[in-house]
Amino acid sequence: MKKAIALVSLTVAIAATSNASAVTVTLACGTVGQELQLCKDGAARWAKKTGNTVKIFESPNLTNDRLGLYQQQLAAKSSDIDVYQLDVVWPGLLAQHFVDLKGKVPAAEVNAHFKGIVDANTVNGKLVAMPWFTDAGLLYYRTDLLKKYGFSAAPKTWTELALMASKIQAGEQKTNKSFAGYVWQGKNYEGLTCDAMEWLVSFGGGTIVDSTGKITINNAQAAKALDTAASWIKTISPAGVTTYGEEEARGIFQSGNAMFMRNWPYAWALGQGDDSKVKGKIGVAPLPSGGSRNAATLGGWQLGVSTYSKNQAAAIDLVRYLSGPAEQKIRAIEGTYNPTIQTLYKDKDILKANPFFGSLYSVFTSAVARPSGPTKGKYNQVSQAFSTAVSDVLNGKMKGQAAVAKLSTDLARIKGRGW
C-alpha cells in the first residue's frame, strides 16, 4: 500500500530534537480550509515536546474519498498510517481496525468531552477514537445586505429565507450578475446527506432510519422537505449548486457573491481573514425551521489509533495531546474548530474569537446525529442511497414523494434481515 500513499499524498515530516528512543508516527490530516496547517502545527508542538517525529499524510478533501482510501489501508492491515482522523459516523464501520482507548486514555480525560460524542465513538463498549472537534451546520449571512434591504434579523423559517434571498438577489444582480441568494452543499456525497438531514428534521420528516432501526423516510414531511430544497435551484440558488461541496460554497460566499450560506463553523475564521471580501460583514444563525424545529446535523472528527500501528504507545500519546484542552483551545481560536471539551465553551479567549460559540451553544449541544448508530456497518450504503435519492429530486429526475417511496424500498433491501 506504500505506493498508493505516495500517489495520493505528500508526506511532510515534522522532526524534533534527536532522541535515542524517538519514533516516527504518521498522522492522517484533513485538508479542508485551515485544517491541514493547524494539524501540522499541533503535530509539531507534540514532536518538540516528546522528541518524536510526525509524518503528515494529506487525506482527500471529500469525506467519501477519504473513507475509501482509509478502508483500503485498513483492509490491507497496513502500518503506514498510525493515527487516523475519523468522521463521527465512521466508528461503527471501522471499529475492528482501531485500538480500544478505554483504559489507555485516563477516564478523567475522556469524561471531559461531551458525553454524546464519546458515546458516538464507543462501539460495543470499545472506545474507538477520541473526540477532536465537533461540528454542526450553521446559516451564514451578510449583515450589511440584511440592513441594506430593510431586514432586522436572520430568517427563522425556510419560507422567510427564500423570500429574503429572492429580494436581495434581485437587487444585487443589477450590479453583480453572479450574485446568489443562497449557497449550500448540493453535490452527491456525504455533505448532501448532512444538508438534507437538516431539511428533513426541520420539517418533522424524521431521520431516515429511527433509533430502533426502523426505516422512516417514506412520509409526507420528508417529501415536502426535498421538494422545498429543489425549488431553490435556479431561483435563489445557482444551477451549479448541485456540484458544490463545502469549499465551493465558501468560495462564493467569501468572495462576496452570496447572501446566505449553509456551512460548518470552520468557515467563520476564514471569512474573517484578511483576504476575505466579507470580513466584518458576516452573521451566524441557526439554520431555519421548516415548521417543526431548527435542525443542525452533527458533524465532527475524532482521532483513532490503528491496530496495525507499530508505534501504538507514541500514537496514543499523540492522540491524547491533540485532543487535549490546550490544542483544542488553539484550534478554536485560530480555525473556529468547535471544542469537544465542555469547559472550553466558557473560555474568554475562545468566546472573543468566536462569539457564536456562546450564543449558539444549544445548536451544538442539540445537533442531530445521522443514523450511523442504528444502521451500524451498513451506514455508508444507507447514506449513499439517501444522498442519491435527494440528488435525483434536486436535479428534477423525481418528485419528493416518489423519491422517498423508492428510497424506503431500497433501504429495506440494504437492511435485509437486519442492520
Side-chain angles (χ1 to χ4, degrees):
M1 293 305 295
K2 286 203 186 327
K3 192 179 283 184
I5 286 201
L7 291 172
V8 193
S9 75
L10 298 164
T11 305
V12 183
I14 297 171
T17 49
S18 60
N19 179 332
S21 61
V23 296
T24 298
V25 175
T26 299
L27 166 66
C29 292
T31 56
V32 176
Q34 293 171 273
E35 206 174 8
L36 181 63
Q37 191 55 51
L38 290 174
C39 192
K40 285 179 182 176
D41 293 347
R45 285 186 284 270
W46 177 79
K48 187 178 180 184
K49 174 176 170 276
T50 61
N52 293 319
T53 299
V54 182
K55 279 167 77 179
I56 299 293
F57 170 74
E58 294 186 21
S59 304
N61 238 350
L62 291 180
T63 310
N64 303 56
D65 297 341
R66 201 182 297 190
L67 177 61
L69 182 67
Y70 286 3
Q71 285 176 316
Q72 281 179 357
Q73 292 289 313
L74 295 167
K77 300 187 177 178
S78 168
S79 61
D80 290 346
I81 298 173
D82 299 288
V83 177
Y84 285 82
Q85 186 178 326
L86 305 178
D87 197 339
V88 71
V89 292
W90 293 349
L93 202 59
L94 304 175
Q96 73 202 71
H97 301 291
F98 287 86
V99 172
D100 185 359
L101 297 176
K102 197 172 279 185
K104 295 184 173 70
V105 176
E109 275 179 44
V110 176
N111 295 336
H113 297 264
F114 286 117
K115 184 181 182 298
I117 303 173
V118 173
D119 289 348
N121 283 300
T122 305
V123 179
N124 299 327
K126 175 180 179 176
L127 183 59
V128 178
M130 282 294 286
W132 196 22
F133 64 93
T134 188
D135 254 341
L138 297 169
L139 181 70
Y140 289 82
Y141 62 94
R142 289 277 298 277
T143 52
D144 56 329
L145 295 180
L146 200 71
K147 196 173 174 183
K148 177 180 172 180
Y149 288 89
F151 296 108
S152 59
K156 298 280 192 294
T157 67
W158 291 114
T159 304
E160 278 179 29
L161 180 139
L163 290 168
M164 291 165 75
S166 184
K167 180 178 177 180
I168 295 167
Q169 178 179 277
E172 291 300 297
Q173 281 188 351
K174 287 172 185 169
T175 52
N176 176 5
K177 284 289 176 219
S178 56
F179 191 88
Y182 183 38
V183 292
W184 36 281
Q185 294 74 49
K187 183 185 173 81
N188 185 1
Y189 76 116
E190 187 65 26
L192 179 56
T193 292
C194 293
D195 284 41
M197 276 286 296
E198 292 160 349
W199 308 333
L200 286 192
V201 175
S202 75
F203 275 82
T207 54
I208 311 166
V209 175
D210 72 13
S211 59
T212 69
K214 184 185 173 192
I215 298 163
T216 60
I217 188 65
N218 191 5
N219 68 79
Q221 289 306 109
K224 185 179 176 185
L226 301 189
D227 285 333
T228 300
S231 75
W232 302 331
I233 299 170
K234 299 182 189 172
T235 56
I236 58 169
S237 298
V241 76
T242 54
T243 67
Y244 295 176
E246 285 86 354
E247 287 290 79
E248 289 80 9
R250 182 179 70 83
I252 291 167
F253 184 79
Q254 203 172 301
S255 60
N257 289 321
M259 173 61 204
F260 296 108
M261 170 181 70
R262 184 269 178 210
N263 219 319
W264 306 103
Y266 86 97
W268 169 262
L270 292 160
Q272 301 297 353
D274 291 334
D275 61 342
S276 170
K277 291 190 177 170
V278 292
K279 182 182 180 182
K281 301 172 184 174
I282 305 172
V284 186
L287 286 160
S289 167
S292 178
R293 57 167 283 194
N294 301 88
T297 296
L298 177 69
W301 293 80
Q302 350 295 316
L303 295 171
V305 176
S306 169
T307 304
Y308 317 114
S309 165
K310 292 185 169 67
N311 297 301
Q312 289 184 16
I316 291 167
D317 192 67
L318 174 59
V319 167
R320 287 178 63 188
Y321 179 83
L322 291 176
S323 64
E327 273 303 311
Q328 288 210 10
K329 178 171 178 171
I330 291 168
R331 291 170 56 81
I333 292 169
E334 293 185 7
T336 336
Y337 287 101
N338 276 63
T340 57
I341 296 170
Q342 283 176 270
T343 52
L344 292 177
Y345 285 85
K346 294 183 174 67
D347 185 286
K348 288 188 177 68
D349 301 325
I350 290 176
L351 291 174
K352 186 182 174 190
N354 311 295
F356 66 89
F357 276 18
S359 59
L360 299 183
Y361 181 72
S362 64
V363 172
F364 302 111
T365 54
S366 64
V368 178
R370 284 161 277 173
S372 56
T375 60
K376 306 185 178 79
K378 294 181 179 177
Y379 171 73
N380 204 37
Q381 289 171 269
V382 169
S383 178
Q384 285 176 352
F386 176 61
S387 65
T388 299
V390 174
S391 186
D392 284 345
V393 177
L394 298 180
N395 287 297
K397 292 179 185 172
M398 292 182 102
K399 288 289 183 200
Q401 187 51 61
V404 297
K406 180 179 181 295
L407 177 59
S408 186
T409 304
D410 292 344
L411 293 180
R413 192 171 61 247
I414 293 167
K415 181 178 182 180
R417 292 182 180 174
W419 300 113

